[in-house]
Amino acid sequence: MGFRRRVADLWQPWQTGHALLAIPLGLIVAITVVDVLIPGDIHLGPLLIVAPAITPWFAGPWLTGLVGALAVVAQAIIGVVRDPNELFSTNHQVQIAALALLSLVIVVFSRQRERRIRQLEQVRSVSEATQRVVLPPLPHRMGPLRIAAAYRAADDEALIGGDLYAATRTGNGARLIIGDVRGKGMTAISDASVIMGSFRDAAHRTATLAELAAALEESICRHLTEHAPHPEADELYEQFVTVLMLDIPDEDPLTQMINCGHPPPLLLHHHHVTALYPRRAEPPLGMCDLPRTGLTVDPFTFEGDDTLLLYTDGIIEARSSDGSFYPLAERVAQWTDSGPEALLHHIRDDLIAHVGGQLNDDAAAVAIQRSPRLAPGHQLKKMVHFTGSPDQAD
């Protein structure tokens, strides 16, 4: 079984890297031929070590060892062709031994590198499984809604962080949440998983959006208290989650929103972009020692062909090289005719270009577009648009 695996490991690099393998083999042939043809007082044989040294870039340890062995054989051939007696000279024997030893060292490092790559692949596989559990993909369709989501972690090697989003059907409508956990790392992922699990359960048990928010608040406060090293420590009160929750009926354009310290969503309506600020600023969830006097539910119109853009502060706080923030509302105004997937694609590419390729914080966005169908003869209820800044909102 071990031999078959070795043969498979040897064959796989040959399948994928046989073209690049011509480089070290060509070097071995070229160095050997030139060393034989040039005057005897010039020795190029030591350069043969270059061949096994570059092989690990595109091949595994077995092919690297094979190239190293060919390099040693080439060094011996040089000695035989130049002068058969030179092959047994101390100088040539030392060159062969040094080449063999260095090739062996390269093979060992190549083996360790391959093992490290396999470990990273396993870790990435676990990370992908964790992402599917903590942050499962949103459905592309939910009643009359088309939904698209995008997530980019600040760490290039990470797939998930402290940002979260979820959507679920509730009778004749849909409920959605987007949030941002303060902090990074495993603590943020743990807090995000608590909010996500509580949302999936409470979204079907609570009748109103305010009751849903209260259930999430109770859940995150209990989690923070139970898992804090010292419940009285200041760190307990520095952990919180900004969330935005929506209740979107299927046949009624009057949509409800609760915003607990989260950036306001953008409404794309007839080539206009409107920031939906809440009438009263609500503190984030998880500030357990701060008494709440009730949550404000803000209604707004979400008509057919309108698009809602939910996002986290990792997008609007992304800075360019000159320190300027990413102007999300201004950029989105260029793409009001785009569907949810195309809109997020434009934002992602533009955002990465704005920051020069690397984000300093997790960034998530959800685009929701309502299909144009409404019940015949339906009369619109009283609706409120919140525009401008929070101070200007009624």
Side-chain angles (χ1 to χ4, degrees):
M1 189 67 182
F3 176 76
R4 291 178 62 184
R5 180 171 181 176
R6 291 178 184 178
V7 172
D9 290 343
L10 191 63
W11 177 249
Q12 182 64 24
W14 181 265
Q15 287 273 340
T16 58
H18 63 279
L20 293 176
L21 192 62
I23 298 176
L25 295 179
L27 285 174
I28 291 175
V29 173
I31 293 172
T32 302
V33 172
V34 172
D35 200 354
V36 169
L37 296 179
I38 61 177
D41 57 338
I42 301 176
H43 299 279
L44 297 182
L47 293 179
L48 289 168
I49 191 59
V50 174
I54 66 174
T55 304
W57 291 356
F58 50 84
W62 288 99
L63 273 181
T64 301
L66 177 61
V67 172
L70 292 177
V72 173
V73 171
Q75 180 69 49
I77 292 174
I78 291 174
V80 171
V81 174
R82 277 176 171 270
D83 184 355
N85 295 326
E86 184 179 344
L87 177 62
F88 302 100
S89 66
T90 302
N91 179 54
H92 207 77
Q93 291 293 323
V94 169
Q95 289 184 22
I96 292 176
L99 181 59
L101 179 60
L102 290 175
S103 297
L104 179 62
V105 170
I106 293 172
V107 170
V108 171
F109 276 101
S110 176
R111 183 176 179 82
Q112 292 299 321
R113 174 177 173 270
E114 186 179 64
R115 181 178 301 174
R116 177 64 173 171
I117 291 175
R118 288 178 179 175
Q119 290 175 346
L120 290 176
E121 289 176 348
Q122 292 175 353
V123 171
R124 189 170 184 85
S125 176
V126 172
S127 179
E128 290 175 349
T130 304
Q131 182 188 38
R132 288 191 292 269
V133 173
V134 177
L135 196 68
L138 297 182
H140 296 295
R141 283 280 185 179
M142 187 170 284
L145 306 178
R146 288 178 56 198
I147 304 175
Y151 193 105
R152 186 180 179 94
D155 188 350
D156 287 336
E157 299 300 325
L159 294 178
I160 57 176
D163 289 1
L164 59 97
Y165 49 73
T168 186
R169 290 285 296 171
T170 56
N172 296 321
R175 280 182 174 171
L176 296 97
I177 185 174
I178 187 169
D180 185 0
V181 178
R182 180 189 180 275
K184 298 179 180 179
M186 293 305 300
T187 300
I189 296 175
S190 175
D191 294 347
S193 66
V194 170
I195 290 291
M196 295 283 287
S198 180
F199 172 81
R200 295 187 188 107
D201 177 58
H204 299 278
R205 292 189 295 101
T206 54
T208 66
L209 210 55
E211 292 175 351
L212 174 59
L216 298 186
E217 172 82 337
E218 179 183 357
S219 178
I220 190 63
C221 285
R222 182 171 59 250
H223 167 76
L224 293 177
T225 302
E226 291 176 351
H227 292 83
H230 304 288
E232 295 81 12
D234 293 338
E235 288 81 1
L236 173 63
Y237 307 113
E238 293 178 358
Q239 293 297 117
F240 55 83
V241 186
T242 67
V243 297
L244 174 75
M245 289 166 283
L246 297 174
D247 210 339
I248 307 177
D250 287 347
E251 302 296 344
D252 191 340
L254 190 62
T255 297
Q256 293 184 331
M257 172 184 76
I258 287 183
N259 190 332
C260 297
H262 201 77
L266 300 180
L267 178 64
L268 284 60
H269 174 76
H270 293 171
H271 306 287
H272 296 285
V273 178
T274 303
L276 304 178
Y277 287 97
R279 289 173 293 177
R280 187 181 71 178
E282 297 286 351
L285 302 182
M287 305 185 72
C288 311
D289 61 333
L290 185 65
R292 290 187 183 270
T293 58
L295 291 166
T296 302
V297 178
D298 295 304
F300 64 91
T301 304
F302 185 31
E303 300 177 355
D305 284 335
D306 286 355
T307 299
L308 269 174
L309 178 63
L310 319 181
Y311 55 93
T312 59
D313 60 9
I315 294 180
I316 57 175
E317 293 180 359
R319 293 177 180 266
S320 63
S321 57
D322 62 2
S324 60
F325 291 109
Y326 181 68
L328 179 62
E330 176 184 330
R331 300 296 176 85
V332 168
Q334 310 172 49
W335 310 309
T336 55
D337 292 332
S338 302
E341 295 84 2
L343 176 62
L344 295 187
H345 180 79
H346 288 311
I347 294 174
R348 180 194 62 194
D349 292 347
D350 194 50
L351 177 64
I352 296 304
H354 179 80
V355 300
Q358 180 61 47
L359 293 174
N360 294 323
D361 193 8
D362 299 333
V366 178
I368 310 158
Q369 186 178 66
R370 182 191 282 275
S371 64
R373 65 182 179 86
L374 279 176
H378 182 81
Q379 292 185 352
L380 302 184
K381 300 178 181 179
K382 181 180 178 181
M383 306 168 201
V384 182
H385 280 291
F386 299 102
T387 61
S389 65
D391 296 334
Q392 295 171 331
D394 293 334

